[in-house]
Amino acid sequence: YALLLAEPRFRAFALFGACMLCAVYAFVTGAPYVAHELLGLSASEYGLWAGVPAAASLLGFAIAARVSRRVGAARMLTAGTGISLLGATILLASVALLPAQPLALFLPAAIVSFAQSISLPNALAGALGIRPGAAGAASGLMGFLQLALSALVAQGIAAFGGNSAWPIAIAVRGATLCAAVAYARLRTHGALPLR
C-alpha cells in the first residue's frame, strides 16, 4: 500500500475513481429523503424515478465495455469528466430553478451516473496497470478509498440535509470537481496522452 500511495499516478487514478463514485453515492444517499419529504413521491414513484439513473449507469457500463479498448482510456476519462461536470452543473441549476420537479433531480443524476460508468472502469484499469505485481492490493486500496470517501460524504449529507436538496447538489458538484482535479493530475503526470 505504501508503494502504491507513493506513486502520484496511482493517487490520481484512485482519487478520480473515489470522487466519481462518491458523486453517485452522494445522490443515492439523499435522494430518497428529498423524493419523499420534499417532492411528495410515494415509495413506488421513487422506485420508478430511481430507475432513471440506474438505467443510465447500466448503459454507461455497456458502452465502456464495448468501446474503451477502441477509443482508449484517455478519451473515456475525458468524456466522463466533462459529462459529470455537466450533469452536476445541471443538478445545481435544477435545485435552484425547479426544486419541486422529479425530472430536475433524477435526469442530472442520470447524466452523472452515466459519466461515472464510462470512466470508472478505465480509472481502475489505469490504477491496476501502474504496478501489475500489486494489482490485488491496488484494487483493494482503490475500493477502500471509494467507499471511505462516499461514507464520509453520506454522513455530511445526512448532517446538513435539512429541508432542501442543496446538500445533495453541492456534494455531487464537489465530487465531480474533485474528479476533474484528479483528471488534471493524471494529465500532468503523463498517465494519459494529451491527444
PDB file of all heavy atoms in Angstrom, residues 27 81-113 115 165-166 168-170 172-174 176-177:
ATOM      1  N   PHE A  27     -25.734  11.229  -4.361  1.00  0.00           N
ATOM      2  CA  PHE A  27     -27.123  11.316  -4.811  1.00  0.00           C
ATOM      3  C   PHE A  27     -27.968  10.213  -4.176  1.00  0.00           C
ATOM      4  O   PHE A  27     -29.053  10.467  -3.666  1.00  0.00           O
ATOM      5  CB  PHE A  27     -27.202  11.233  -6.335  1.00  0.00           C
ATOM      6  CG  PHE A  27     -28.613  11.284  -6.829  1.00  0.00           C
ATOM      7  CD1 PHE A  27     -29.282  12.483  -6.925  1.00  0.00           C
ATOM      8  CD2 PHE A  27     -29.290  10.118  -7.158  1.00  0.00           C
ATOM      9  CE1 PHE A  27     -30.603  12.534  -7.342  1.00  0.00           C
ATOM     10  CE2 PHE A  27     -30.606  10.155  -7.570  1.00  0.00           C
ATOM     11  CZ  PHE A  27     -31.273  11.366  -7.667  1.00  0.00           C
ATOM     12  N   THR A  81     -15.235  12.891 -17.336  1.00  0.00           N
ATOM     13  CA  THR A  81     -15.020  14.122 -16.566  1.00  0.00           C
ATOM     14  C   THR A  81     -15.945  15.233 -17.059  1.00  0.00           C
ATOM     15  O   THR A  81     -16.643  15.878 -16.261  1.00  0.00           O
ATOM     16  CB  THR A  81     -13.548  14.564 -16.665  1.00  0.00           C
ATOM     17  OG1 THR A  81     -12.709  13.514 -16.178  1.00  0.00           O
ATOM     18  CG2 THR A  81     -13.303  15.830 -15.862  1.00  0.00           C
ATOM     19  N   GLY A  82     -15.965  15.433 -18.359  1.00  0.00           N
ATOM     20  CA  GLY A  82     -16.804  16.503 -18.919  1.00  0.00           C
ATOM     21  C   GLY A  82     -18.284  16.272 -18.696  1.00  0.00           C
ATOM     22  O   GLY A  82     -19.026  17.191 -18.302  1.00  0.00           O
ATOM     23  N   ILE A  83     -18.730  15.051 -18.928  1.00  0.00           N
ATOM     24  CA  ILE A  83     -20.156  14.738 -18.767  1.00  0.00           C
ATOM     25  C   ILE A  83     -20.577  14.847 -17.305  1.00  0.00           C
ATOM     26  O   ILE A  83     -21.657  15.346 -16.996  1.00  0.00           O
ATOM     27  CB  ILE A  83     -20.473  13.349 -19.352  1.00  0.00           C
ATOM     28  CG1 ILE A  83     -20.276  13.361 -20.867  1.00  0.00           C
ATOM     29  CG2 ILE A  83     -21.893  12.922 -19.008  1.00  0.00           C
ATOM     30  CD1 ILE A  83     -20.298  11.976 -21.508  1.00  0.00           C
ATOM     31  N   SER A  84     -19.717  14.413 -16.385  1.00  0.00           N
ATOM     32  CA  SER A  84     -20.083  14.504 -14.962  1.00  0.00           C
ATOM     33  C   SER A  84     -20.170  15.955 -14.508  1.00  0.00           C
ATOM     34  O   SER A  84     -21.071  16.320 -13.747  1.00  0.00           O
ATOM     35  CB  SER A  84     -19.101  13.725 -14.088  1.00  0.00           C
ATOM     36  OG  SER A  84     -17.832  14.347 -14.058  1.00  0.00           O
ATOM     37  N   LEU A  85     -19.259  16.793 -14.982  1.00  0.00           N
ATOM     38  CA  LEU A  85     -19.327  18.216 -14.636  1.00  0.00           C
ATOM     39  C   LEU A  85     -20.602  18.847 -15.193  1.00  0.00           C
ATOM     40  O   LEU A  85     -21.250  19.658 -14.522  1.00  0.00           O
ATOM     41  CB  LEU A  85     -18.092  18.955 -15.151  1.00  0.00           C
ATOM     42  CG  LEU A  85     -16.792  18.660 -14.408  1.00  0.00           C
ATOM     43  CD1 LEU A  85     -15.604  19.247 -15.155  1.00  0.00           C
ATOM     44  CD2 LEU A  85     -16.846  19.195 -12.986  1.00  0.00           C
ATOM     45  N   LEU A  86     -20.973  18.462 -16.404  1.00  0.00           N
ATOM     46  CA  LEU A  86     -22.211  18.958 -16.998  1.00  0.00           C
ATOM     47  C   LEU A  86     -23.420  18.537 -16.166  1.00  0.00           C
ATOM     48  O   LEU A  86     -24.280  19.356 -15.821  1.00  0.00           O
ATOM     49  CB  LEU A  86     -22.348  18.449 -18.433  1.00  0.00           C
ATOM     50  CG  LEU A  86     -23.675  18.759 -19.129  1.00  0.00           C
ATOM     51  CD1 LEU A  86     -23.832  20.258 -19.331  1.00  0.00           C
ATOM     52  CD2 LEU A  86     -23.764  18.015 -20.452  1.00  0.00           C
ATOM     53  N   GLY A  87     -23.488  17.247 -15.824  1.00  0.00           N
ATOM     54  CA  GLY A  87     -24.614  16.749 -15.033  1.00  0.00           C
ATOM     55  C   GLY A  87     -24.709  17.424 -13.673  1.00  0.00           C
ATOM     56  O   GLY A  87     -25.804  17.778 -13.226  1.00  0.00           O
ATOM     57  N   ALA A  88     -23.567  17.609 -13.022  1.00  0.00           N
ATOM     58  CA  ALA A  88     -23.569  18.247 -11.696  1.00  0.00           C
ATOM     59  C   ALA A  88     -23.979  19.710 -11.792  1.00  0.00           C
ATOM     60  O   ALA A  88     -24.674  20.229 -10.903  1.00  0.00           O
ATOM     61  CB  ALA A  88     -22.195  18.119 -11.054  1.00  0.00           C
ATOM     62  N   THR A  89     -23.579  20.380 -12.860  1.00  0.00           N
ATOM     63  CA  THR A  89     -23.977  21.774 -13.064  1.00  0.00           C
ATOM     64  C   THR A  89     -25.481  21.873 -13.306  1.00  0.00           C
ATOM     65  O   THR A  89     -26.158  22.754 -12.762  1.00  0.00           O
ATOM     66  CB  THR A  89     -23.204  22.381 -14.246  1.00  0.00           C
ATOM     67  OG1 THR A  89     -21.801  22.295 -13.968  1.00  0.00           O
ATOM     68  CG2 THR A  89     -23.583  23.834 -14.473  1.00  0.00           C
ATOM     69  N   ILE A  90     -26.011  20.954 -14.104  1.00  0.00           N
ATOM     70  CA  ILE A  90     -27.457  20.922 -14.341  1.00  0.00           C
ATOM     71  C   ILE A  90     -28.202  20.642 -13.036  1.00  0.00           C
ATOM     72  O   ILE A  90     -29.255  21.235 -12.773  1.00  0.00           O
ATOM     73  CB  ILE A  90     -27.808  19.882 -15.428  1.00  0.00           C
ATOM     74  CG1 ILE A  90     -27.259  20.324 -16.786  1.00  0.00           C
ATOM     75  CG2 ILE A  90     -29.319  19.673 -15.517  1.00  0.00           C
ATOM     76  CD1 ILE A  90     -27.354  19.254 -17.871  1.00  0.00           C
ATOM     77  N   LEU A  91     -27.659  19.762 -12.209  1.00  0.00           N
ATOM     78  CA  LEU A  91     -28.294  19.465 -10.927  1.00  0.00           C
ATOM     79  C   LEU A  91     -28.362  20.716 -10.048  1.00  0.00           C
ATOM     80  O   LEU A  91     -29.403  21.011  -9.452  1.00  0.00           O
ATOM     81  CB  LEU A  91     -27.559  18.332 -10.201  1.00  0.00           C
ATOM     82  CG  LEU A  91     -28.130  17.916  -8.850  1.00  0.00           C
ATOM     83  CD1 LEU A  91     -29.575  17.444  -8.979  1.00  0.00           C
ATOM     84  CD2 LEU A  91     -27.267  16.814  -8.230  1.00  0.00           C
ATOM     85  N   LEU A  92     -27.270  21.445  -9.970  1.00  0.00           N
ATOM     86  CA  LEU A  92     -27.279  22.682  -9.181  1.00  0.00           C
ATOM     87  C   LEU A  92     -28.316  23.664  -9.712  1.00  0.00           C
ATOM     88  O   LEU A  92     -29.083  24.253  -8.941  1.00  0.00           O
ATOM     89  CB  LEU A  92     -25.893  23.337  -9.208  1.00  0.00           C
ATOM     90  CG  LEU A  92     -24.856  22.833  -8.227  1.00  0.00           C
ATOM     91  CD1 LEU A  92     -23.518  23.500  -8.477  1.00  0.00           C
ATOM     92  CD2 LEU A  92     -25.294  23.065  -6.797  1.00  0.00           C
ATOM     93  N   ALA A  93     -28.336  23.842 -11.033  1.00  0.00           N
ATOM     94  CA  ALA A  93     -29.303  24.763 -11.632  1.00  0.00           C
ATOM     95  C   ALA A  93     -30.730  24.280 -11.406  1.00  0.00           C
ATOM     96  O   ALA A  93     -31.628  25.085 -11.131  1.00  0.00           O
ATOM     97  CB  ALA A  93     -29.023  24.908 -13.129  1.00  0.00           C
ATOM     98  N   SER A  94     -30.942  22.983 -11.481  1.00  0.00           N
ATOM     99  CA  SER A  94     -32.278  22.429 -11.284  1.00  0.00           C
ATOM    100  C   SER A  94     -32.772  22.630  -9.860  1.00  0.00           C
ATOM    101  O   SER A  94     -33.943  22.946  -9.639  1.00  0.00           O
ATOM    102  CB  SER A  94     -32.288  20.935 -11.619  1.00  0.00           C
ATOM    103  OG  SER A  94     -31.986  20.733 -12.975  1.00  0.00           O
ATOM    104  N   VAL A  95     -31.888  22.437  -8.896  1.00  0.00           N
ATOM    105  CA  VAL A  95     -32.269  22.640  -7.500  1.00  0.00           C
ATOM    106  C   VAL A  95     -32.645  24.102  -7.265  1.00  0.00           C
ATOM    107  O   VAL A  95     -33.567  24.412  -6.509  1.00  0.00           O
ATOM    108  CB  VAL A  95     -31.146  22.177  -6.549  1.00  0.00           C
ATOM    109  CG1 VAL A  95     -31.381  22.643  -5.127  1.00  0.00           C
ATOM    110  CG2 VAL A  95     -31.019  20.657  -6.594  1.00  0.00           C
ATOM    111  N   ALA A  96     -31.949  24.995  -7.953  1.00  0.00           N
ATOM    112  CA  ALA A  96     -32.230  26.425  -7.797  1.00  0.00           C
ATOM    113  C   ALA A  96     -33.509  26.839  -8.522  1.00  0.00           C
ATOM    114  O   ALA A  96     -34.306  27.608  -7.982  1.00  0.00           O
ATOM    115  CB  ALA A  96     -31.057  27.247  -8.308  1.00  0.00           C
ATOM    116  N   LEU A  97     -33.709  26.317  -9.728  1.00  0.00           N
ATOM    117  CA  LEU A  97     -34.798  26.806 -10.572  1.00  0.00           C
ATOM    118  C   LEU A  97     -36.051  25.946 -10.562  1.00  0.00           C
ATOM    119  O   LEU A  97     -37.154  26.449 -10.769  1.00  0.00           O
ATOM    120  CB  LEU A  97     -34.298  26.953 -12.014  1.00  0.00           C
ATOM    121  CG  LEU A  97     -33.087  27.879 -12.203  1.00  0.00           C
ATOM    122  CD1 LEU A  97     -32.578  27.823 -13.636  1.00  0.00           C
ATOM    123  CD2 LEU A  97     -33.455  29.304 -11.804  1.00  0.00           C
ATOM    124  N   LEU A  98     -35.899  24.637 -10.389  1.00  0.00           N
ATOM    125  CA  LEU A  98     -37.028  23.706 -10.453  1.00  0.00           C
ATOM    126  C   LEU A  98     -37.013  22.760  -9.254  1.00  0.00           C
ATOM    127  O   LEU A  98     -36.993  21.541  -9.419  1.00  0.00           O
ATOM    128  CB  LEU A  98     -36.959  22.886 -11.752  1.00  0.00           C
ATOM    129  CG  LEU A  98     -36.894  23.676 -13.057  1.00  0.00           C
ATOM    130  CD1 LEU A  98     -36.455  22.780 -14.186  1.00  0.00           C
ATOM    131  CD2 LEU A  98     -38.239  24.310 -13.349  1.00  0.00           C
ATOM    132  N   PRO A  99     -37.036  23.284  -8.043  1.00  0.00           N
ATOM    133  CA  PRO A  99     -36.822  22.421  -6.878  1.00  0.00           C
ATOM    134  C   PRO A  99     -37.900  21.378  -6.634  1.00  0.00           C
ATOM    135  O   PRO A  99     -37.654  20.420  -5.912  1.00  0.00           O
ATOM    136  CB  PRO A  99     -36.755  23.419  -5.717  1.00  0.00           C
ATOM    137  CG  PRO A  99     -37.510  24.615  -6.194  1.00  0.00           C
ATOM    138  CD  PRO A  99     -37.291  24.669  -7.682  1.00  0.00           C
ATOM    139  N   ALA A 100     -39.077  21.522  -7.221  1.00  0.00           N
ATOM    140  CA  ALA A 100     -40.167  20.579  -6.915  1.00  0.00           C
ATOM    141  C   ALA A 100     -40.458  19.618  -8.060  1.00  0.00           C
ATOM    142  O   ALA A 100     -41.517  19.008  -8.101  1.00  0.00           O
ATOM    143  CB  ALA A 100     -41.427  21.365  -6.554  1.00  0.00           C
ATOM    144  N   GLN A 101     -39.528  19.465  -8.974  1.00  0.00           N
ATOM    145  CA  GLN A 101     -39.743  18.598 -10.136  1.00  0.00           C
ATOM    146  C   GLN A 101     -38.856  17.355 -10.057  1.00  0.00           C
ATOM    147  O   GLN A 101     -37.637  17.476 -10.014  1.00  0.00           O
ATOM    148  CB  GLN A 101     -39.420  19.364 -11.428  1.00  0.00           C
ATOM    149  CG  GLN A 101     -40.264  20.602 -11.638  1.00  0.00           C
ATOM    150  CD  GLN A 101     -41.733  20.254 -11.789  1.00  0.00           C
ATOM    151  OE1 GLN A 101     -42.090  19.270 -12.417  1.00  0.00           O
ATOM    152  NE2 GLN A 101     -42.582  21.074 -11.178  1.00  0.00           N
ATOM    153  N   PRO A 102     -39.436  16.163 -10.063  1.00  0.00           N
ATOM    154  CA  PRO A 102     -38.620  14.947 -10.012  1.00  0.00           C
ATOM    155  C   PRO A 102     -37.619  14.841 -11.159  1.00  0.00           C
ATOM    156  O   PRO A 102     -36.474  14.440 -10.952  1.00  0.00           O
ATOM    157  CB  PRO A 102     -39.645  13.818 -10.070  1.00  0.00           C
ATOM    158  CG  PRO A 102     -40.918  14.415  -9.602  1.00  0.00           C
ATOM    159  CD  PRO A 102     -40.876  15.856 -10.009  1.00  0.00           C
ATOM    160  N   LEU A 103     -38.038  15.236 -12.362  1.00  0.00           N
ATOM    161  CA  LEU A 103     -37.134  15.152 -13.509  1.00  0.00           C
ATOM    162  C   LEU A 103     -35.907  16.030 -13.310  1.00  0.00           C
ATOM    163  O   LEU A 103     -34.801  15.668 -13.721  1.00  0.00           O
ATOM    164  CB  LEU A 103     -37.879  15.545 -14.789  1.00  0.00           C
ATOM    165  CG  LEU A 103     -37.121  15.316 -16.093  1.00  0.00           C
ATOM    166  CD1 LEU A 103     -36.801  13.838 -16.282  1.00  0.00           C
ATOM    167  CD2 LEU A 103     -37.927  15.841 -17.270  1.00  0.00           C
ATOM    168  N   ALA A 104     -36.090  17.163 -12.644  1.00  0.00           N
ATOM    169  CA  ALA A 104     -34.977  18.075 -12.382  1.00  0.00           C
ATOM    170  C   ALA A 104     -33.954  17.463 -11.437  1.00  0.00           C
ATOM    171  O   ALA A 104     -32.791  17.853 -11.432  1.00  0.00           O
ATOM    172  CB  ALA A 104     -35.506  19.388 -11.803  1.00  0.00           C
ATOM    173  N   LEU A 105     -34.361  16.504 -10.650  1.00  0.00           N
ATOM    174  CA  LEU A 105     -33.455  15.822  -9.729  1.00  0.00           C
ATOM    175  C   LEU A 105     -32.849  14.568 -10.365  1.00  0.00           C
ATOM    176  O   LEU A 105     -31.643  14.342 -10.297  1.00  0.00           O
ATOM    177  CB  LEU A 105     -34.213  15.451  -8.452  1.00  0.00           C
ATOM    178  CG  LEU A 105     -33.423  14.813  -7.324  1.00  0.00           C
ATOM    179  CD1 LEU A 105     -32.417  15.804  -6.742  1.00  0.00           C
ATOM    180  CD2 LEU A 105     -34.371  14.337  -6.229  1.00  0.00           C
ATOM    181  N   PHE A 106     -33.683  13.769 -11.007  1.00  0.00           N
ATOM    182  CA  PHE A 106     -33.237  12.455 -11.472  1.00  0.00           C
ATOM    183  C   PHE A 106     -32.541  12.479 -12.832  1.00  0.00           C
ATOM    184  O   PHE A 106     -31.681  11.645 -13.083  1.00  0.00           O
ATOM    185  CB  PHE A 106     -34.413  11.471 -11.477  1.00  0.00           C
ATOM    186  CG  PHE A 106     -34.839  11.084 -10.095  1.00  0.00           C
ATOM    187  CD1 PHE A 106     -35.876  11.750  -9.458  1.00  0.00           C
ATOM    188  CD2 PHE A 106     -34.181  10.076  -9.410  1.00  0.00           C
ATOM    189  CE1 PHE A 106     -36.260  11.407  -8.174  1.00  0.00           C
ATOM    190  CE2 PHE A 106     -34.554   9.734  -8.117  1.00  0.00           C
ATOM    191  CZ  PHE A 106     -35.593  10.402  -7.502  1.00  0.00           C
ATOM    192  N   LEU A 107     -32.878  13.415 -13.711  1.00  0.00           N
ATOM    193  CA  LEU A 107     -32.195  13.475 -15.008  1.00  0.00           C
ATOM    194  C   LEU A 107     -30.724  13.876 -14.850  1.00  0.00           C
ATOM    195  O   LEU A 107     -29.845  13.214 -15.413  1.00  0.00           O
ATOM    196  CB  LEU A 107     -32.924  14.406 -15.971  1.00  0.00           C
ATOM    197  CG  LEU A 107     -32.299  14.500 -17.361  1.00  0.00           C
ATOM    198  CD1 LEU A 107     -32.271  13.140 -18.047  1.00  0.00           C
ATOM    199  CD2 LEU A 107     -33.051  15.514 -18.209  1.00  0.00           C
ATOM    200  N   PRO A 108     -30.399  14.938 -14.086  1.00  0.00           N
ATOM    201  CA  PRO A 108     -28.976  15.238 -13.881  1.00  0.00           C
ATOM    202  C   PRO A 108     -28.231  14.089 -13.197  1.00  0.00           C
ATOM    203  O   PRO A 108     -27.063  13.823 -13.510  1.00  0.00           O
ATOM    204  CB  PRO A 108     -28.990  16.489 -13.004  1.00  0.00           C
ATOM    205  CG  PRO A 108     -30.327  17.086 -13.193  1.00  0.00           C
ATOM    206  CD  PRO A 108     -31.255  15.955 -13.479  1.00  0.00           C
ATOM    207  N   ALA A 109     -28.916  13.406 -12.276  1.00  0.00           N
ATOM    208  CA  ALA A 109     -28.283  12.257 -11.621  1.00  0.00           C
ATOM    209  C   ALA A 109     -27.988  11.164 -12.636  1.00  0.00           C
ATOM    210  O   ALA A 109     -26.967  10.474 -12.535  1.00  0.00           O
ATOM    211  CB  ALA A 109     -29.173  11.722 -10.511  1.00  0.00           C
ATOM    212  N   ALA A 110     -28.866  11.003 -13.618  1.00  0.00           N
ATOM    213  CA  ALA A 110     -28.630  10.008 -14.671  1.00  0.00           C
ATOM    214  C   ALA A 110     -27.402  10.383 -15.495  1.00  0.00           C
ATOM    215  O   ALA A 110     -26.601   9.513 -15.872  1.00  0.00           O
ATOM    216  CB  ALA A 110     -29.863   9.880 -15.559  1.00  0.00           C
ATOM    217  N   ILE A 111     -27.234  11.662 -15.755  1.00  0.00           N
ATOM    218  CA  ILE A 111     -26.068  12.117 -16.516  1.00  0.00           C
ATOM    219  C   ILE A 111     -24.783  11.819 -15.748  1.00  0.00           C
ATOM    220  O   ILE A 111     -23.804  11.304 -16.305  1.00  0.00           O
ATOM    221  CB  ILE A 111     -26.198  13.620 -16.844  1.00  0.00           C
ATOM    222  CG1 ILE A 111     -27.378  13.856 -17.788  1.00  0.00           C
ATOM    223  CG2 ILE A 111     -24.899  14.162 -17.457  1.00  0.00           C
ATOM    224  CD1 ILE A 111     -27.760  15.318 -17.962  1.00  0.00           C
ATOM    225  N   VAL A 112     -24.781  12.120 -14.454  1.00  0.00           N
ATOM    226  CA  VAL A 112     -23.602  11.854 -13.619  1.00  0.00           C
ATOM    227  C   VAL A 112     -23.357  10.348 -13.514  1.00  0.00           C
ATOM    228  O   VAL A 112     -22.206   9.891 -13.592  1.00  0.00           O
ATOM    229  CB  VAL A 112     -23.762  12.501 -12.231  1.00  0.00           C
ATOM    230  CG1 VAL A 112     -22.638  12.074 -11.292  1.00  0.00           C
ATOM    231  CG2 VAL A 112     -23.814  14.021 -12.346  1.00  0.00           C
ATOM    232  N   SER A 113     -24.408   9.564 -13.370  1.00  0.00           N
ATOM    233  CA  SER A 113     -24.262   8.106 -13.278  1.00  0.00           C
ATOM    234  C   SER A 113     -23.674   7.531 -14.563  1.00  0.00           C
ATOM    235  O   SER A 113     -22.815   6.646 -14.528  1.00  0.00           O
ATOM    236  CB  SER A 113     -25.619   7.452 -12.993  1.00  0.00           C
ATOM    237  OG  SER A 113     -26.072   7.802 -11.719  1.00  0.00           O
ATOM    238  N   ALA A 115     -21.750   9.151 -16.692  1.00  0.00           N
ATOM    239  CA  ALA A 115     -20.352   9.582 -16.751  1.00  0.00           C
ATOM    240  C   ALA A 115     -19.465   8.718 -15.866  1.00  0.00           C
ATOM    241  O   ALA A 115     -18.363   8.318 -16.258  1.00  0.00           O
ATOM    242  CB  ALA A 115     -20.249  11.051 -16.334  1.00  0.00           C
ATOM    243  N   ALA A 165     -32.709  20.123  -1.168  1.00  0.00           N
ATOM    244  CA  ALA A 165     -31.886  19.236  -1.986  1.00  0.00           C
ATOM    245  C   ALA A 165     -30.486  19.821  -2.192  1.00  0.00           C
ATOM    246  O   ALA A 165     -29.650  19.191  -2.843  1.00  0.00           O
ATOM    247  CB  ALA A 165     -32.560  18.987  -3.337  1.00  0.00           C
ATOM    248  N   TRP A 166     -30.234  20.992  -1.636  1.00  0.00           N
ATOM    249  CA  TRP A 166     -28.930  21.630  -1.823  1.00  0.00           C
ATOM    250  C   TRP A 166     -27.751  20.777  -1.346  1.00  0.00           C
ATOM    251  O   TRP A 166     -26.733  20.725  -2.043  1.00  0.00           O
ATOM    252  CB  TRP A 166     -28.902  23.000  -1.141  1.00  0.00           C
ATOM    253  CG  TRP A 166     -29.562  24.063  -1.969  1.00  0.00           C
ATOM    254  CD1 TRP A 166     -30.754  24.667  -1.716  1.00  0.00           C
ATOM    255  CD2 TRP A 166     -29.088  24.625  -3.194  1.00  0.00           C
ATOM    256  NE1 TRP A 166     -31.053  25.567  -2.700  1.00  0.00           N
ATOM    257  CE2 TRP A 166     -30.043  25.566  -3.621  1.00  0.00           C
ATOM    258  CE3 TRP A 166     -27.959  24.419  -3.964  1.00  0.00           C
ATOM    259  CZ2 TRP A 166     -29.907  26.303  -4.795  1.00  0.00           C
ATOM    260  CZ3 TRP A 166     -27.814  25.154  -5.138  1.00  0.00           C
ATOM    261  CH2 TRP A 166     -28.773  26.074  -5.536  1.00  0.00           C
ATOM    262  N   ILE A 168     -27.291  17.621  -1.438  1.00  0.00           N
ATOM    263  CA  ILE A 168     -27.011  16.620  -2.477  1.00  0.00           C
ATOM    264  C   ILE A 168     -26.331  17.282  -3.662  1.00  0.00           C
ATOM    265  O   ILE A 168     -25.306  16.812  -4.158  1.00  0.00           O
ATOM    266  CB  ILE A 168     -28.298  15.918  -2.948  1.00  0.00           C
ATOM    267  CG1 ILE A 168     -28.947  15.150  -1.821  1.00  0.00           C
ATOM    268  CG2 ILE A 168     -28.004  14.994  -4.127  1.00  0.00           C
ATOM    269  CD1 ILE A 168     -30.321  14.619  -2.185  1.00  0.00           C
ATOM    270  N   ALA A 169     -26.922  18.375  -4.132  1.00  0.00           N
ATOM    271  CA  ALA A 169     -26.381  19.050  -5.312  1.00  0.00           C
ATOM    272  C   ALA A 169     -24.963  19.544  -5.074  1.00  0.00           C
ATOM    273  O   ALA A 169     -24.091  19.405  -5.937  1.00  0.00           O
ATOM    274  CB  ALA A 169     -27.291  20.211  -5.712  1.00  0.00           C
ATOM    275  N   ILE A 170     -24.721  20.094  -3.893  1.00  0.00           N
ATOM    276  CA  ILE A 170     -23.379  20.591  -3.572  1.00  0.00           C
ATOM    277  C   ILE A 170     -22.391  19.437  -3.466  1.00  0.00           C
ATOM    278  O   ILE A 170     -21.261  19.529  -3.959  1.00  0.00           O
ATOM    279  CB  ILE A 170     -23.423  21.436  -2.283  1.00  0.00           C
ATOM    280  CG1 ILE A 170     -24.195  22.734  -2.546  1.00  0.00           C
ATOM    281  CG2 ILE A 170     -22.016  21.727  -1.761  1.00  0.00           C
ATOM    282  CD1 ILE A 170     -24.566  23.502  -1.290  1.00  0.00           C
ATOM    283  N   VAL A 172     -22.579  16.453  -4.945  1.00  0.00           N
ATOM    284  CA  VAL A 172     -22.352  15.901  -6.281  1.00  0.00           C
ATOM    285  C   VAL A 172     -21.421  16.812  -7.075  1.00  0.00           C
ATOM    286  O   VAL A 172     -20.472  16.361  -7.710  1.00  0.00           O
ATOM    287  CB  VAL A 172     -23.685  15.675  -7.026  1.00  0.00           C
ATOM    288  CG1 VAL A 172     -23.448  15.340  -8.495  1.00  0.00           C
ATOM    289  CG2 VAL A 172     -24.491  14.562  -6.357  1.00  0.00           C
ATOM    290  N   ARG A 173     -21.682  18.104  -7.012  1.00  0.00           N
ATOM    291  CA  ARG A 173     -20.825  19.058  -7.732  1.00  0.00           C
ATOM    292  C   ARG A 173     -19.406  19.044  -7.162  1.00  0.00           C
ATOM    293  O   ARG A 173     -18.435  19.055  -7.905  1.00  0.00           O
ATOM    294  CB  ARG A 173     -21.424  20.457  -7.641  1.00  0.00           C
ATOM    295  CG  ARG A 173     -20.609  21.527  -8.318  1.00  0.00           C
ATOM    296  CD  ARG A 173     -20.521  21.311  -9.804  1.00  0.00           C
ATOM    297  NE  ARG A 173     -19.914  22.501 -10.398  1.00  0.00           N
ATOM    298  CZ  ARG A 173     -19.406  22.539 -11.601  1.00  0.00           C
ATOM    299  NH1 ARG A 173     -19.454  21.480 -12.382  1.00  0.00           N
ATOM    300  NH2 ARG A 173     -18.860  23.635 -12.052  1.00  0.00           N
ATOM    301  N   GLY A 174     -19.286  19.014  -5.853  1.00  0.00           N
ATOM    302  CA  GLY A 174     -17.954  18.960  -5.245  1.00  0.00           C
ATOM    303  C   GLY A 174     -17.191  17.708  -5.638  1.00  0.00           C
ATOM    304  O   GLY A 174     -15.994  17.767  -5.936  1.00  0.00           O
ATOM    305  N   THR A 176     -17.610  15.916  -8.371  1.00  0.00           N
ATOM    306  CA  THR A 176     -17.207  15.966  -9.783  1.00  0.00           C
ATOM    307  C   THR A 176     -16.055  16.947  -9.998  1.00  0.00           C
ATOM    308  O   THR A 176     -15.181  16.701 -10.831  1.00  0.00           O
ATOM    309  CB  THR A 176     -18.394  16.309 -10.708  1.00  0.00           C
ATOM    310  OG1 THR A 176     -18.943  17.574 -10.332  1.00  0.00           O
ATOM    311  CG2 THR A 176     -19.468  15.240 -10.646  1.00  0.00           C
ATOM    312  N   LEU A 177     -16.036  18.027  -9.238  1.00  0.00           N
ATOM    313  CA  LEU A 177     -14.893  18.947  -9.323  1.00  0.00           C
ATOM    314  C   LEU A 177     -13.618  18.267  -8.828  1.00  0.00           C
ATOM    315  O   LEU A 177     -12.541  18.441  -9.418  1.00  0.00           O
ATOM    316  CB  LEU A 177     -15.166  20.214  -8.522  1.00  0.00           C
ATOM    317  CG  LEU A 177     -16.149  21.204  -9.134  1.00  0.00           C
ATOM    318  CD1 LEU A 177     -16.449  22.341  -8.160  1.00  0.00           C
ATOM    319  CD2 LEU A 177     -15.603  21.762 -10.436  1.00  0.00           C
TER     320      LEU A 177
END
